[in-house]
Amino acid sequence: MVFEVIEVMGTYGFTPNTFARNITIDALFKIGCGDLAIKFLKETRRPNFLTFNIALCNLCKLNDLCHIGDVLRMMLRQGYHPKVETFEMIMSCFCKMGNTAEAHQVLGLLITLGITVSVNVWSMLMNGFCRLQRPDMAGKLLEKMVETGSSPSIVTYTTLIRGFLKSNMVSEAFNILNIMESKGYAPDLVLCNVLIDSFAKAGRCDDAIDVFVSMQSRNLAPDSCTVSSLLSTICLSRRFHLLPKLVRGLDVEADLLLYGLCKARRVDEAVDVYHGILLSFPGQDAYIHTVVMDGLTKVGKFNAAIRVFRKAVAEGFTLDVVAYTVAIIGLFMGGRAGEAWSLFRQMKEVGLAPTAHTYNVMVSGFVKERDLNMVNLMLQEMIEAKVELGSNTFLRLSKFLCRPYHSDSVIELWIQMRSLGLISSKVVQELLFDVVTESGKVDDGLIAFLDVSSITDLSVETSGSEDVYDVAASIG
């Protein structure tokens, strides 16, 4: 509509003024015509401050570094200076895209123009140089900052300390830390976390532990990042005996830590932490074993998960049905169906009754193995236990049984489960319709199971499906 108005103005002999052209430039950027917007700007005879500011703001959003420099030079030649906020936006864009040298030039321009540079801008630029592993340049910026009368904040000092530590310039980092403390700043939680994490990664475990202990005297409450870095330190040093002393009085959720390490694929650390927890807190319940097994299984470390389970059993830890189910999942996913069946029987022998999820995992696992005899056996057990067949398991089973080598006896068990209310009618129709849609036909046995007269009676819409085994293997 903006462009239509501009066009109509021309037909009536009106030339769009600067205000109208500013609106047009902004509109061109918003519809993704950046090059045309720049051309329109250059053809504007009397651009004003807003003309350039609109262009710069849009170019920063687009991270268009080339045109940012061009427009900034045009603006300065016309005698206009961006606002401090616009300068900060430009510098942030340069730093984010790794063009720290250009950001440094913009800083020089700010100082030359006599514009007061905020602490955030100084810190932003220092962080940019640190990310380029040039903490020496960041250190020079700190000196320049002080010369211009600006006072560094604890964020500024933290940025520099982190940069020096990542570049293994430990003495320089401590020098900055001493300067900071001489100015009356005490390390806050963020800085302590930076120090602990950096020392842990550098193998300086004693220093990391000292920082953690010093937090108590500063009344700083450790957060999850602190505890995670501390655990990494203990794992690296293999000093698990320190764990009870260091975390005494803290609200440490061991299961969350283990889950986080597994999800980050830091599997070796997760297993080390798991063993450390068992040594330090021998009274842990079955859930701690389940968490580490589940985490290992989800990242494909099936054999490692089973080793954890076997070791827990051998050492006499009490395991619940969930732990056994997760171990069974790991065995199936590792292609060890025979061991999964043995473990299922062992679970019942020790007095643990399988849950509905356990039964469904067993059926899904044997369907994956195309073992009709075991599928038949598991369905019989589910009927005796009056356990409902899950919708995901049903979908996988229905696709399996629609193949030429399906078993009539399994379908009969299926029908029996339906009559006992162990499979809901809605689930049957919705999920089996998906199979019918794919194959275009269904045999008489399945029609009888559906309790409908023909395929045309299946009036439900096709439902989406997932890989059933993956769904069955997910816990929680």
Side-chain angles (χ1 to χ4, degrees):
M1 291 179 68
V2 168
F3 304 134
E4 288 177 5
V5 171
I6 293 294
E7 186 177 350
V8 171
M9 287 177 68
T11 62
Y12 284 94
F14 291 102
T15 301
N17 60 14
T18 301
F19 175 77
R21 294 185 72 88
N22 287 350
I23 294 174
T24 306
I25 291 169
D26 192 42
L28 286 167
F29 274 117
K30 283 180 167 55
I31 64 170
C33 299
D35 290 338
L36 187 56
I38 294 296
K39 181 176 181 295
F40 208 77
L41 182 152
K42 291 179 178 179
E43 293 174 352
T44 300
R45 294 183 179 180
R46 297 183 180 83
N48 58 19
F49 170 82
L50 283 176
T51 310
F52 298 109
N53 202 67
I54 288 169
L56 286 173
C57 290
N58 280 289
L59 290 169
C60 285
K61 291 178 183 177
L62 297 171
N63 295 320
D64 189 340
L65 304 185
C66 180
H67 282 129
I68 287 175
D70 291 342
V71 173
L72 181 58
R73 283 187 285 272
M74 289 171 58
M75 185 177 192
L76 294 172
R77 283 197 294 267
Q78 291 286 334
Y80 297 111
H81 298 160
K83 298 185 295 183
V84 176
E85 294 80 8
T86 307
F87 268 123
E88 291 187 6
M89 189 188 306
I90 293 170
M91 290 185 65
S92 175
C93 186
F94 279 132
C95 289
K96 182 172 61 177
M97 301 301 292
N99 290 45
T100 310
E102 288 83 350
H104 195 209
Q105 292 175 357
V106 175
L107 175 66
L109 177 61
L110 277 166
I111 295 173
T112 302
L113 294 174
I115 298 174
T116 302
V117 182
S118 69
V119 176
N120 288 340
V121 169
W122 288 105
S123 301
M124 182 195 308
L125 192 52
M126 289 179 200
N127 184 56
F129 278 114
C130 288
R131 287 171 61 186
L132 294 175
Q133 296 187 334
R134 291 294 309 274
D136 55 324
M137 287 296 297
K140 291 178 181 178
L141 279 177
L142 177 65
E143 296 174 2
K144 189 69 176 177
M145 179 181 183
V146 174
E147 288 175 8
T148 59
S150 296
S151 299
S153 67
I154 193 166
V155 174
T156 312
Y157 289 120
T158 300
T159 299
L160 278 171
I161 292 169
R162 181 193 286 115
F164 280 122
L165 287 173
K166 282 188 175 181
S167 298
N168 294 319
M169 301 170 69
V170 180
S171 59
E172 289 83 351
F174 274 113
N175 183 44
I176 297 295
L177 181 61
N178 291 333
I179 292 173
M180 184 194 81
E181 292 179 329
S182 69
K183 299 294 183 181
Y185 291 105
D188 60 3
L189 178 60
V190 174
L191 180 52
C192 286
N193 284 345
V194 167
L195 291 171
I196 294 171
D197 183 61
S198 299
F199 285 140
K201 289 176 179 176
R204 301 177 56 136
C205 299
D206 289 335
D207 290 329
I209 291 171
D210 287 343
V211 173
F212 179 78
V213 172
S214 71
M215 292 175 66
Q216 297 178 353
S217 62
R218 297 190 180 97
N219 294 321
L220 294 175
D223 61 7
S224 57
C225 292
T226 318
V227 178
S228 178
S229 297
L230 180 67
L231 284 172
S232 296
T233 302
I234 291 173
C235 289
L236 287 170
S237 64
R238 314 292 298 178
R239 294 151 73 180
F240 296 109
H241 65 280
L242 293 176
L243 187 60
K245 297 178 183 177
L246 292 174
V247 302
R248 184 178 293 119
L250 299 181
D251 183 17
V252 179
E253 297 290 343
D255 56 318
L256 293 179
L257 292 170
L258 286 173
Y259 180 76
L261 288 171
C262 289
K263 192 171 183 181
R265 304 191 74 85
R266 294 163 64 180
V267 176
D268 293 336
E269 288 182 51
V271 174
D272 283 342
V273 170
Y274 163 73
H275 290 308
I277 291 170
L278 295 184
L279 287 172
S280 305
F281 307 100
Q284 290 289 329
D285 58 22
Y287 189 58
I288 200 71
H289 310 287
T290 306
V291 168
V292 73
M293 286 192 295
D294 183 42
L296 291 169
T297 300
K298 285 180 177 176
V299 296
K301 302 290 184 179
F302 312 125
N303 292 333
I306 298 306
R307 284 197 296 271
V308 168
F309 177 81
R310 300 293 189 199
K311 192 174 189 316
V313 171
E315 294 182 357
F317 287 102
T318 301
L319 300 176
D320 59 12
V321 65
V322 179
Y324 272 88
T325 303
V326 173
I328 290 169
I329 289 170
L331 288 169
F332 272 125
M333 295 183 77
R336 297 156 66 177
E339 292 178 60
W341 170 240
S342 297
L343 188 57
F344 177 74
R345 290 186 300 170
Q346 179 186 332
M347 179 183 69
K348 293 195 292 184
E349 288 170 3
V350 298
L352 294 174
T355 64
H357 181 71
T358 312
Y359 279 117
N360 278 276
V361 164
M362 294 297 294
V363 173
S364 292
F366 286 123
V367 166
K368 178 176 179 286
E369 296 295 318
R370 294 188 171 88
D371 191 331
L372 276 172
N373 291 331
M374 293 306 300
V375 170
N376 193 321
L377 180 60
M378 291 310 307
L379 290 179
Q380 286 178 340
E381 286 205 21
M382 292 180 75
I383 290 173
E384 293 173 5
K386 293 183 172 54
V387 174
E388 184 174 343
L389 191 68
S391 58
N392 289 323
T393 309
F394 176 83
L395 175 58
R396 187 175 186 87
L397 189 55
S398 64
K399 289 183 177 181
F400 176 55
L401 296 179
C402 282
R403 294 171 182 171
Y405 46 83
H406 74 259
S407 168
D408 291 336
S409 62
V410 175
I411 294 179
E412 289 173 4
L413 286 172
W414 216 359
I415 296 172
Q416 187 178 351
M417 294 181 77
R418 166 79 183 280
S419 65
L420 292 172
L422 303 181
I423 307 175
S424 69
S425 300
K426 182 179 179 182
V427 166
V428 170
Q429 291 194 344
E430 289 180 351
L431 296 181
L432 195 54
F433 184 79
D434 187 55
V435 178
V436 175
T437 302
E438 289 183 9
S439 63
K441 60 181 180 178
V442 64
D443 71 15
D444 294 338
L446 295 182
I447 289 290
F449 171 65
L450 281 174
D451 193 24
V452 295
S453 59
S454 68
I455 297 174
T456 57
D457 288 335
L458 297 177
S459 58
V460 295
E461 296 181 357
T462 302
S463 61
S465 62
E466 302 173 89
D467 185 289
V468 180
Y469 187 70
D470 290 341
V471 174
S474 64
I475 300 295

